[in-house]
Amino acid sequence: MIALTPYWLMLLFGLALGSFNNVLIYRIPRGASLLRPVSSCPGCSRPIRPWENVPLFSWLFLRGRCSGCGMHIPFRYPLVEALTGLLFLALALRWPMQPQMLFFAPLLSLLVALSFIDLDTFLLPNPLVLAMAICGAAGLTVIHFLGGSPAVPTVLAGLLGAFAGASSLLLTDVFSRMVFHRRGMGFGDVKLMGAVGLYLGWEKTLLSFLLASFAGAFVMLLLRRSIKQEVPFGPWLALGTVLALFFGDAIIHWYLRLVLG
């Protein structure tokens, strides 16, 4: 049981941040304060009591309804909490008690919040993207002065990753304007990939963009969505980033063996 402590702690930490992500997803697009007023039911304005705000368990205990007015609580709330918690657990399993575990935590948490906001509003709010970039730059600097760490880019590699991420999406947008005469990428996507590049370095950042593009195109084909239809690309960039983070080395090595023999 003692050996499992770091994993349980990261899971619980992720669930707690998932609950905070729900606050970000609801309030940031509305320009509301994150501190005031306290969380309340949008139906009856009844303040949510502490025992009704326990990640996952409160939603299950309340059976997905407000205890005051009975208003349905969307399944998205426990989904965001569970997704953030599982991503943090994955970090602990991949890099137990290592600097990478904490370095990548802000990236994954903010990717969840940004993805759901983009699904709702087609926007990637600057404050959250900026927070991601600041955490990435600060983390790179601290780890550099501590002697570096495997899987964490050097400061130079992080800056190159930021440039590669932003420029690849800018070039995609330019190509789309020239060929399809429409915007291919929002500037929020460009800024997001610039921030992601700080965490992944240039190789995995470009890989994450490719994976996001393939996944998005595949799903659009399955749903028979037109290329002219506007779709939020942030969730696909988040998916590509997660895949590149956890499986990027294996994918790159496989590709190099395939090409070079």
Side-chain angles (χ1 to χ4, degrees), residues 11 16 21 25 51 59 75 80 107 128 136 180 199 241:
L11 175 61
N21 273 341
I25 292 166
W51 56 87
W59 189 88
F75 178 69
V80 169
L107 170 69
L128 297 186
F180 301 109
Y199 292 86
T241 298

Side-chain angles (χ1 to χ4, degrees), residues 24-249:
L24 295 177
I25 292 166
Y26 184 82
R27 297 195 181 194
I28 289 290
R30 294 169 172 79
S33 169
L34 299 180
L35 302 177
R36 293 285 185 272
V38 296
S39 297
S40 60
C41 172
C44 62
S45 300
R46 177 177 170 274
I48 297 175
R49 293 170 289 190
W51 56 87
E52 295 174 334
N53 205 26
V54 180
L56 288 185
F57 297 104
S58 290
W59 189 88
L60 294 172
F61 178 75
L62 295 170
R63 298 181 181 180
R65 294 190 177 277
C66 171
S67 61
C69 66
M71 179 180 178
H72 174 66
I73 303 172
F75 178 69
R76 170 181 290 192
Y77 284 86
L79 175 62
V80 169
E81 293 166 352
L83 182 57
T84 310
L86 290 174
L87 287 172
F88 274 50
L89 177 60
L91 280 178
L93 292 171
R94 179 66 178 85
W95 295 291
M97 300 304 292
Q98 298 178 48
Q100 299 95 308
M101 185 177 74
L102 297 178
F103 174 70
F104 292 119
L107 170 69
L108 296 183
S109 180
L110 288 168
L111 282 176
V112 173
L114 286 164
S115 295
F116 282 91
I117 290 174
D118 199 18
L119 285 171
D120 287 339
T121 66
F122 288 84
L123 296 172
L124 294 168
N126 287 330
L128 297 186
V129 177
L130 180 60
M132 180 187 292
I134 290 174
C135 289
L140 285 179
T141 304
V142 171
I143 291 177
H144 169 74
F145 281 109
L146 292 177
S149 179
V152 174
T154 63
V155 174
L156 177 59
L159 293 175
L160 289 175
F163 175 77
S167 61
S168 60
L169 268 74
L170 277 174
L171 290 174
T172 301
D173 185 55
V174 170
F175 176 80
S176 178
R177 289 174 183 271
M178 293 177 60
V179 176
F180 301 109
H181 305 291
R182 63 186 298 271
R183 293 200 66 177
M185 295 291 167
F187 197 56
D189 298 320
V190 174
K191 290 181 286 188
L192 173 61
M193 285 309 291
V196 166
L198 291 170
Y199 292 86
L200 299 187
W202 71 269
E203 291 174 304
K204 291 181 183 177
T205 298
L206 293 179
L207 174 63
S208 68
F209 176 49
L210 290 175
L211 293 173
S213 300
F214 287 139
F218 178 71
V219 172
M220 286 183 67
L221 286 175
L222 286 181
L223 299 178
R224 298 182 180 181
R225 297 284 295 272
S226 169
I227 194 173
K228 294 183 179 180
Q229 288 180 282
E230 185 179 3
V231 294
F233 197 46
W236 300 115
L237 291 174
L239 175 62
T241 298
V242 172
L243 293 175
L245 174 62
F246 289 106
F247 307 107
D249 289 330

